[in-house]
């Protein structure tokens, strides 16, 4: 087997399993462990993986900050699946917090079509606009310092307002969810501080994230999974991801 062919197979195994071990690869390809280490070193230099003690793991994508508006028309079907699962958790008279998230915008777009008497608190401008179309929904806006690229408000005033609330349920967005490392991340520190406060002050809190975000990372870890009531995503995760979530007592909900 050519070196390039062996390395391609290693990358395929990594994509499937998330990790590989030197000893197992050595036995599989019938080459020395030192040969496998050289393969992993070469692949790491190409930015294909991250070496660890005894093997390597799949690289997680670091999704750099972009404007929220550019995400509105991506993964539409996935966000609709998430919205359906989320709205099943909302009850009459609930106070619901929807923070800055295009998945939460999808929740708002579904919620506005429903005959629900609820109070929704949000710091996202587009969610405010959507929910204002339904007179049965009582909308409370958490203002503060505007961040135009993120389509919402955060900062000290927003944080102070959040600290005075006790929502029945909250849904918070994420850029990345690393279940095995017990971390949830976003782009911006101020956004992350707000999200952490929302989780802390809510009776129940769920992170909403498309399945692709289970292999992505932001720049700021704002909470751990064991602070959450659950994680809502659009498709069934791999068994090892669900097992890791179970170990933290976190339920993964799918439509």
């Amino acid at each position: 087997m050519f070196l390039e062919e062996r390395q391609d197979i290693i990358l395929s195994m990594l994509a499937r399993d998330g990790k590989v071990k030197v000893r197992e690869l050595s036995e599989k390809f019938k080459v020395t462990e030192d040969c496998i280490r050289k393969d992993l070193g070469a692949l790491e230099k190409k930015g294909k993986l991250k070496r660890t003690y005894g093997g390597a793991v799949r690289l997680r994508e670091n999704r750099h900050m972009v404007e929220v508006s550019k995400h509105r028309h991506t993964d539409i079907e996935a966000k609709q699946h998430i919205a359906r699962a989320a709205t099943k958790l909302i009850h009459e008279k609930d106070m619901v917090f929807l923070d800055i998230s295009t998945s939460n915008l999808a929740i708002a777009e579904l919620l506005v079509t429903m005959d629900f008497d609820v109070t929704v608190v949000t710091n996202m401008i587009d969610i405010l606009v959507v929910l204002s179309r339904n007179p049965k929904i009582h909308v409370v806006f958490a203002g503060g310092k505007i961040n135009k690229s993120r389509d919402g408000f955060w900062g000290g005033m927003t944080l102070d307002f959040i600290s005075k609330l006790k929502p029945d349920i909250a849904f918070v967005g994420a850029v990345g969810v690393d279940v095995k490392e017990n971390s949830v991340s976003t782009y911006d520190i101020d956004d992350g501080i707000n999200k952490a406060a929302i989780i802390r002050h809510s009776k129940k809190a769920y992170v909403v994230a498309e399945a692709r975000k289970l292999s992505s990372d932001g720049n700021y870890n704002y909470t751990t999974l064991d602070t959450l009531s659950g994680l809502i995503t659009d498709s069934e995760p791999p068994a090892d991801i669900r097992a890791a979530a179970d170990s933290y007592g976190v339920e993964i909900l799918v439509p």
Side-chain angles (χ1 to χ4, degrees), residues 20-76:
V20 291
K21 295 182 179 179
V22 170
R23 180 178 296 179
E24 293 174 358
L25 293 175
S26 173
E27 294 173 355
K28 176 180 177 64
F29 295 113
K30 295 180 172 56
V31 296
T32 65
E33 291 187 8
D34 187 54
C35 178
I36 294 298
R37 291 190 189 95
K38 289 179 180 177
D39 283 340
L40 299 181
L43 291 169
E44 185 176 49
K45 288 180 180 178
K46 294 178 182 178
K48 301 292 187 180
L49 52 76
K50 179 182 178 181
R51 294 180 69 185
T52 60
Y53 181 77
V57 295
R58 181 174 53 208
L59 276 179
R60 293 177 60 84
E61 183 181 0
N62 193 324
R63 304 180 61 83
H64 297 289
M65 186 181 297
V66 296
E67 293 184 6
V68 167
S69 60
K70 294 181 180 178
H71 281 304
R72 290 191 60 177
H73 304 295
T74 62
D75 297 327
I76 294 174

Side-chain angles (χ1 to χ4, degrees), residues 34-220:
D34 187 54
C35 178
I36 294 298
R37 291 190 189 95
K38 289 179 180 177
D39 283 340
L40 299 181
L43 291 169
E44 185 176 49
K45 288 180 180 178
K46 294 178 182 178
K48 301 292 187 180
L49 52 76
K50 179 182 178 181
R51 294 180 69 185
T52 60
Y53 181 77
V57 295
R58 181 174 53 208
L59 276 179
R60 293 177 60 84
E61 183 181 0
N62 193 324
R63 304 180 61 83
H64 297 289
M65 186 181 297
V66 296
E67 293 184 6
V68 167
S69 60
K70 294 181 180 178
H71 281 304
R72 290 191 60 177
H73 304 295
T74 62
D75 297 327
I76 294 174
E77 187 174 350
K79 291 168 186 173
Q80 290 173 341
H81 287 322
I82 289 170
R84 285 196 290 272
T87 53
K88 291 177 182 178
L89 301 173
I90 300 172
H91 302 98
E92 287 277 338
K93 306 297 183 180
D94 272 354
M95 173 182 279
V96 184
F97 203 116
L98 299 178
D99 89 315
I100 299 173
S101 161
T102 51
S103 290
N104 278 341
L105 180 57
I107 294 174
E109 289 170 341
L110 180 57
L111 197 57
V112 79
T113 67
M114 302 171 72
D115 188 28
F116 257 174
D117 180 5
V118 294
T119 297
V120 178
V121 186
T122 186
N123 58 327
M124 184 173 181
I125 296 169
D126 280 352
I127 290 177
L128 171 68
V129 173
V130 168
L131 294 179
S132 65
R133 302 199 304 261
N134 186 333
K136 286 199 70 174
I137 298 176
H138 311 281
V139 186
V140 178
F141 196 68
K145 179 181 177 182
I146 191 169
N147 186 301
K148 295 180 181 178
S149 69
R150 301 294 288 149
D151 186 40
F153 290 80
W154 54 42
M157 290 179 64
T158 312
L159 191 61
D160 182 64
F161 183 78
I162 291 168
S163 70
K164 293 178 170 61
L165 299 174
K166 289 186 177 180
D168 295 291
I169 189 167
F171 301 99
V172 294
V175 172
V177 181
D178 192 337
V179 177
K180 293 184 177 179
E181 294 297 325
N182 193 23
S183 68
V184 186
S185 58
T186 187
Y187 295 123
D188 189 277
I189 293 174
D190 286 330
D191 182 40
I193 290 171
N194 275 3
K195 290 178 186 296
I198 293 164
I199 292 169
R200 189 165 59 251
H201 291 285
S202 299
K203 296 172 185 175
K204 293 182 180 180
Y206 293 83
V207 161
V208 289
E210 305 95 293
R212 64 177 175 80
K213 292 183 178 179
L214 300 184
S215 58
S216 297
D217 287 315
N219 304 114
Y220 179 76

